[in-house]
Amino acid sequence: MNTILITGCCGFIGSHLCDFYLSKNYKVIGLDNLLTGSIENIKHHENNPLFNFIEHDVCDQINISDKIDFILHFASTASPDDYLKYPIKTLQIGSIGTENILKLGVKNNSTVLVASTSEIYGDPLEHPQSESYFGNVNPIGPRGVYDEAKRYLEALTMAYKNKKQLKIRIVRIFNTYGPRMRVNDGRAIPNFINQILNNKNITVYGDGHQTRSFCYVSDTVNGIHKLLNSDYQYPINIGNNDEYTILQLVNIMKNIVNKNIELIFSKLPENDPKKRQPNIKLAKTILDWNPKTSLKDGLIKTIDYFIKLNKFG
Ligand code: UDP
């Protein structure tokens, strides 16, 4: 039986990874310090003998005696609101936390997959963004703490591959959405759903013409699994390449719930990327991976989840 360690197991993507690997009968060890993750996200596994949750901060030394075959390093703050709130911790998780994980990987001869991000491309001057693009990041801007933490994570991971022969995988995750995002996470999709369901005005930052490409979480998880199973040891983009402006996103949501809600426009946050779309040629050819869920279908499932949370009366 394979044992997999998942850091950030109580977070949005981390908890879906737990579901996925438990459904495949892996022994899953989940690590989380509950800074931004929620124990509710893994509660349904509490009596599963294959699952072991350890409340622990990856920045502190990790002592696990079990033999670990695979590590998925997903611990991090991830929403712009969170990394503005915890700038130093965000940098520490990407640096000290990542090194602790890589050392554990060396000790166990594990395959270590680290979660990187489209944010390493910054406010990109190349469009769509392919893995060979070096990015346009402001290191001292408000998003710099996250962007540079993840750039360091990639550099450190490559150094462990080259100097310690660690088996590594690096996934650059583009905007992902779905059930278990936090209602108050601050990101566009949960914010808009929250506002629509509560009949509040929708907060659009800037003129709403900035773009993003949104991937449904089951597609992202599938891509991560395919990458783990491959032998590709360089960064690879995982994301949906259907690109929408924020105004288009709002309209699709309004049509799903059949409500006409007012928009209020406010200032675009500093260094907010104007465009984002992954080039996924590598994932298609190397991993035979393609996102399958349309934005409309994924939003229907996500909105349904938020309604069932029963927080909206
Ligand atoms: N955004 C917005 N209203 C909100 C939240 C976000 O207009 O209430 C915009 C944000 O400025 C950005 C885009 O939506 O241009 C996506 O933001 P998000 O926080 O989801 O993630 P990002 O891709 O910026 O990390």
Side-chain angles (χ1 to χ4, degrees):
M1 184 185 290
N2 283 318
T3 297
I4 189 163
L5 171 70
I6 301 178
T7 75
C9 69
C10 296
F12 163 49
I13 300 182
S15 66
H16 284 279
L17 287 167
C18 290
D19 294 354
F20 181 88
Y21 284 100
L22 286 168
S23 78
K24 294 205 168 305
N25 286 321
Y26 283 60
K27 193 174 159 211
V28 174
I29 303 171
L31 224 64
D32 205 300
N33 66 350
L34 302 176
L35 178 70
T36 57
S38 164
I39 199 83
E40 288 300 313
N41 288 341
I42 53 159
K43 215 173 169 56
H44 51 294
H45 297 306
E46 94 189 318
N47 297 320
N48 187 336
L50 289 178
F51 186 59
N52 178 16
F53 170 62
I54 304 171
E55 188 174 338
H56 185 85
D57 185 335
V58 285
C59 296
D60 298 331
Q61 200 188 323
I62 304 166
N63 299 311
I64 295 175
S65 53
D66 305 48
K67 168 84 182 78
I68 302 165
D69 303 293
F70 303 101
I71 303 179
L72 302 180
H73 179 36
F74 277 71
S76 182
T77 55
S79 88
D81 275 11
D82 284 339
Y83 44 81
L84 287 179
K85 194 165 159 199
Y86 304 110
I88 297 171
K89 191 71 196 171
T90 298
L91 284 159
Q92 289 172 340
I93 297 166
S95 53
I96 301 164
T98 300
E99 183 139 30
N100 282 339
I101 289 301
L102 295 171
K103 280 182 180 160
L104 190 67
V106 170
K107 188 174 139 211
N108 281 276
N109 192 24
S110 328
T111 301
V112 182
L113 182 150
V114 296
S116 184
T117 165
S118 53
E119 280 286 325
I120 63 107
Y121 300 121
D123 190 4
L125 304 176
E126 176 180 303
H127 193 75
Q129 296 79 54
S130 54
E131 290 83 351
S132 56
Y133 178 51
F134 295 159
N136 177 36
V137 169
N138 174 5
I140 57 164
R143 300 172 87 106
V145 292
Y146 184 64
D147 303 6
E148 296 297 357
K150 291 295 189 179
R151 290 171 73 93
Y152 180 86
L153 162 143
E154 289 198 8
L156 189 65
T157 304
M158 285 309 288
Y160 267 75
K161 166 190 175 300
N162 293 332
K163 284 287 168 191
K164 309 266 182 192
Q165 287 72 50
L166 182 65
K167 289 166 280 176
I168 61 115
R169 312 281 183 265
I170 300 175
V171 59
R172 290 185 181 155
I173 301 171
F174 283 65
N175 295 64
T176 296
Y177 69 100
R180 301 200 196 129
M181 292 188 95
R182 278 176 302 148
V183 176
N184 57 352
D185 163 294
R187 280 184 278 198
I189 288 182
N191 265 10
F192 296 161
I193 296 179
N194 194 3
Q195 290 157 354
I196 287 172
L197 296 181
N198 285 300
N199 299 311
K200 290 186 180 151
N201 293 340
I202 294 179
T203 53
V204 175
Y205 305 155
D207 60 10
H209 287 111
Q210 70 271 33
T211 69
R212 293 292 187 274
S213 309
F214 299 99
C215 193
Y216 190 65
V217 64
S218 58
D219 283 331
T220 302
V221 165
N222 197 255
I224 291 164
H225 179 59
K226 287 196 162 191
L227 175 59
L228 186 68
N229 267 349
S230 76
D231 56 6
Y232 191 70
Q233 304 220 68
Y234 295 93
I236 198 153
N237 291 340
I238 290 291
N240 194 311
N241 55 349
D242 287 340
E243 185 182 358
Y244 295 88
T245 66
I246 294 305
L247 289 178
Q248 286 172 326
L249 168 69
V250 169
N251 275 330
I252 296 172
M253 287 181 158
K254 285 199 322 194
N255 286 337
I256 291 171
V257 294
N258 201 15
K259 280 187 183 179
N260 190 18
I261 289 171
E262 296 286 308
L263 309 187
I264 37 169
F265 291 86
S266 59
K267 199 172 159 283
L268 192 68
E270 197 182 338
N271 299 145
D272 195 289
K274 287 179 269 309
K275 283 177 167 195
R276 185 179 290 153
Q277 189 208 123
N279 178 327
I280 51 172
K281 228 180 255 171
L282 264 185
K284 281 182 180 172
T285 50
I286 292 177
L287 308 179
D288 189 26
W289 175 82
N290 249 315
K292 296 210 163 64
T293 313
S294 71
L295 182 57
K296 187 176 169 204
D297 288 351
L299 285 174
I300 290 172
K301 290 186 202 180
T302 309
I303 291 171
D304 201 45
Y305 163 82
F306 277 92
I307 290 172
K308 288 196 177 121
L309 270 186
N310 212 8
K311 290 197 174 159
F312 300 100

